[in-house]
Amino acid sequence: MLALWRDVGTPGIAVNCREDLAIYLHLGGNAIVEESLAREYFPDIFKTREFVATGLSTKTQIENVDPSTLRKAPTPKLRMKVLKRDNYRCRICGRRAEDYTDIELHVHHFRPWAMGGLTEETNLVTLCDTCHNGLDPHFDMSLANVFPETHQRFNEFAAGLGSYAKDFFEGVKRYRETVRMKRLAGTEE
């Protein structure tokens, strides 16, 4: 590890005694700390803690979340809050039950519940039955584009990827549009 840090221009030190630990703590930087010293002076880092994802790239300790967010199905109040926020409209195709008799609205977990996604407003989005069933894979990162107000950090990250992310998401959009057009034409294979 020390050689790797040196190769990338951020050298570190090996901490094998209390004196070295004092120097490291005073000066900072990178260090490999002997395990017995680390256990004596930093015992909290060895405690096992359970974390849950609270967004695309953030996690929090499970004891800090509302227990209702750990259930798979949203409460009726939360479901209605999400539907109202999304104006009772599918956030992918834009259809509303008010305009179409065949529409069924789902409240979808952006990060699937099975993958540790919480049942909270920032992780839920309104989708119609057709779009919801058409998600493949079920955890589709491009959904962050349909509700950017709750995934600003992800969208900023994706923007930093340059044309790669843009080309990828454009390809996903073209694929979805093709599938949607085939469905409308009744020619889906």
Side-chain angles (χ1 to χ4, degrees):
M1 195 69 208
L2 291 171
L4 177 65
W5 285 331
R6 192 174 30 257
D7 290 348
V8 297
T10 57
I13 62 169
V15 175
N16 297 311
C17 63
R18 288 186 175 97
E19 292 78 14
D20 290 346
L21 182 61
I23 293 168
Y24 164 67
L25 292 174
H26 183 69
L27 297 176
N30 298 313
I32 297 176
V33 180
E34 197 275 322
E35 185 177 349
S36 64
L37 280 173
R39 285 189 182 279
E40 181 180 349
Y41 289 97
F42 312 111
D44 284 350
I45 65 172
F46 293 95
K47 289 181 182 172
T48 302
R49 294 183 179 96
E50 190 172 353
F51 284 80
V52 291
T54 56
L56 289 167
S57 59
T58 57
K59 295 182 189 278
T60 191
Q61 290 182 31
I62 199 164
E63 65 259 12
N64 295 335
V65 299
D66 181 342
S68 70
T69 65
L70 301 174
R71 293 191 320 219
K72 185 173 184 179
T75 64
K77 277 190 175 207
L78 179 57
R79 184 176 191 280
M80 287 308 296
K81 189 174 183 179
V82 172
L83 291 169
K84 283 179 185 177
R85 178 199 68 200
D86 294 343
N87 199 23
Y88 302 95
R89 174 184 304 272
C90 174
R91 293 293 291 261
I92 293 177
C93 70
R95 295 188 322 150
R96 298 182 321 160
E98 184 177 298
D99 301 329
Y100 298 88
T101 58
D102 68 327
I103 201 139
E104 180 182 319
L105 295 177
H106 296 232
V107 174
H108 169 73
H109 286 81
F110 176 73
R111 177 188 296 269
W113 185 82
M115 292 175 63
L118 297 178
T119 304
E120 61 185 3
E121 187 177 359
T122 59
N123 191 42
L124 298 171
V125 62
T126 303
L127 299 179
C128 70
D129 185 60
T130 303
C131 291
H132 192 227
N133 289 333
L135 289 179
D136 186 28
H138 201 65
F139 181 36
D140 190 336
M141 295 294 282
S142 68
L143 278 178
N145 293 326
V146 301
F147 58 123
E149 65 277 6
T150 58
H151 293 289
Q152 183 64 33
R153 285 180 49 197
F154 171 75
N155 291 325
E156 289 169 359
F157 168 76
L161 294 176
S163 66
Y164 174 80
K166 183 180 177 197
D167 293 345
F168 176 79
F169 289 132
E170 287 300 317
V172 169
K173 242 164 85 175
R174 283 192 305 273
Y175 169 77
R176 284 195 172 142
E177 183 61 22
T178 301
V179 169
R180 189 176 77 76
M181 295 306 289
K182 284 186 175 193
R183 279 193 183 125
L184 290 174
T187 60
E188 185 179 49
E189 299 169 341

